[in-house]
Amino acid sequence: MPAGARARVLSVYRQILRTGRCWAGPREEQQYIYSEAQKQFRANQHTTEPADQEKQILEAELRLQYAHQYQIPYPRLEHKTQYKSSHPAPRTDFGRQASAGRPPASGKLAKAIQRRKQAQQDKKPG
C-alpha cells in the first residue's frame, strides 16, 4: 500500500473512532460504530489493488458523512429500481430515431442532446 493511501486509511479510521467516542446516540450505536469499523477494516486489510482500496476508502468516507449528516450510524440501504418488469424501461435513446409507439423527444431536449454530442465530438482528439 502506498504511503499516501495508508495515511488516508488511518485518517478515516481515526475519524470513525472519534465519531464513535463522541456519538450522542445510545450506547448500542456507539458499540456498533466501533465493531463495524473494526470488522470492515480488518476484512479489507489485505486488499492490494489500488482501485479496490480507493473504492473502500470512499465507502468509509461516505458512511462517515451519512452518520454525521443524518445522525444514523447504520449503512444506507440500497433501493431496488423503481421500474417493475411489467413497466417499460425508461427511454434513453433520445438522440436516435423514435421507436415504434413512442413519440420523439421534445424539441428543446433533442437540441440539447445534439449540442452535447457535438461538444463531445469536438473534444475528441483526432
Side-chain angles (χ1 to χ4, degrees):
M1 178 183 298
R6 180 176 170 79
R8 191 168 164 209
V9 168
L10 292 174
S11 173
V12 171
Y13 191 66
R14 281 192 302 268
Q15 288 176 356
I16 292 170
L17 294 179
R18 228 177 278 126
T19 299
R21 186 178 61 232
C22 301
W23 191 256
R27 182 81 175 142
E28 294 84 25
E29 290 181 354
Q30 285 182 335
Q31 291 299 324
Y32 174 79
I33 292 170
Y34 288 130
S35 65
E36 183 70 8
Q38 183 179 20
K39 182 176 81 173
Q40 291 297 324
F41 278 83
R42 289 212 176 154
N44 297 316
Q45 72 182 353
H46 297 295
T47 303
T48 57
E49 294 295 321
D52 292 339
Q53 290 173 347
E54 180 66 23
K55 180 181 171 187
Q56 291 162 354
I57 291 171
L58 289 175
E59 180 185 349
E61 290 173 341
L62 187 64
R63 284 184 65 177
L64 184 62
Q65 182 181 8
Y66 285 150
H68 284 288
Q69 184 172 356
Y70 298 113
Q71 292 298 308
I72 300 172
Y74 306 107
R76 184 172 182 218
L77 296 176
E78 297 297 325
H79 300 287
K80 290 184 177 180
T81 180
Q82 64 183 5
Y83 300 103
K84 297 180 181 176
S85 60
S86 62
H87 293 105
R91 185 166 176 207
T92 58
D93 61 344
F94 293 113
R96 299 184 193 121
Q97 188 69 297
S99 59
R102 291 189 177 176
S106 70
K108 287 184 179 180
L109 180 60
K111 288 178 185 177
I113 291 171
Q114 288 290 5
R115 284 194 304 268
R116 179 175 286 163
K117 285 184 179 180
Q118 185 64 36
Q120 287 175 349
Q121 290 175 352
D122 292 343
K123 286 183 181 180
K124 289 183 181 177

